[in-house]
Amino acid sequence: MTDQPAIEATGLEKSYGGVKVLAGVDLRVARGSVFALLGPNGAGKTTTVRILSTLVRADAGRARVAGFDVERDRRLVRRNISLTGQFASVDDLQTGAENLRMMGRLSGLSRAQARRRADDLLVQFDLTTVGRRRVATYSGGTRRRLDLATSLVGNPQVIFLDEPTTGLDPHARQGMWHVIAGLVTSGVTVFLTTQYLEEADRLADRVAVVDGGRVVAEGSPAELKTRFADQRLDLTLADPAAFEAACTLLGRRAVRCDRDHLTLAVATDGSAAHVRALLDEVDPHRRAVRRFALHDATLDDVFLALTGHAATASEKETAGV
């Protein structure tokens, strides 16, 4: 890893139709790392990726990717990056090997070089057994692995992954996590946007949370959890009346409220004194709380603390934002 960052952005601003989507985004991504950008719907994640990958121009600010200015050196930036969107973009009518060879030829490789590169990537992404089959016969997880393999044909320094595991089942998602982790060991820098907070927690060296067009927090997953959430006390209430009373009492301090299961969660420093104080506050007569459990905070707790609501399965970026 060198001192020069793989990605550096300062003061990025962007508006669409009078709506300010980015209001001064600053980012710095170390080479050979995984960087995750999180944020609620419309926070500006996809716009940030589009600016950094030269697909749109910022209204203000500067950015460098792989050592090149995204405005002055757009062609050089594009030669050194790859962008993989939310949906696989491979050709269903060709085999996996044919897709890879075609991408190699489009990247300027000779026929022999393209074939060698395709064979190497089939091995790297565990696709040798399906490489001669048409992509139309692939499962969703296998298609995503092939899509990621095609994005690496040109040996990019930086790869942008925009929600790469959307729509995959848990087993396929785990497989993709293994592949993405392997990319970093080969020296590639990964810039990841994701709706799965567990994904960022598992993969990212650093995480930035963007909200309202600004970066509101940045750090390693462990740092963010310690700084903004620390511990979480989960309470199961005895009945609906007790649940409603506890939610009203705690107000915004309740980081989760699940009426269906009569459960809520509240942040705590984890000390016995603070846990006792919370239990006494919520249940002074020892009848309202049926059981409780203390947990380490998750990135979901951080997300809620910073943006005001929990991330959901539909927490996706809207088009153009």
Side-chain angles (χ1 to χ4, degrees), residues 149-173:
T150 60
S151 70
L152 292 172
V153 167
N155 288 309
Q157 294 185 44
V158 178
I159 180 167
F160 293 96
L161 301 179
D162 191 8
E163 300 190 9
T165 62
T166 295
L168 298 185
D169 62 50
H171 179 73
R173 186 174 299 125

Side-chain angles (χ1 to χ4, degrees), residues 238-257:
D239 53 52
F243 173 83
E244 296 297 338
C247 284
T248 300
L249 176 68
L250 292 172
R252 292 180 61 87
R253 287 183 294 160
V255 296
R256 292 179 185 172
C257 288

Side-chain angles (χ1 to χ4, degrees), residues 61-91:
R62 299 188 61 183
R64 296 179 66 83
V65 177
F68 302 104
D69 189 281
V70 298
E71 287 292 331
R72 295 195 310 267
D73 309 314
R74 297 170 73 83
R75 180 177 295 182
L76 291 172
V77 170
R78 291 173 180 176
R79 286 180 181 175
N80 286 278
I81 68 170
S82 180
L83 172 61
T84 299
Q86 296 178 23
F87 304 101
S89 57
V90 289
D91 186 347

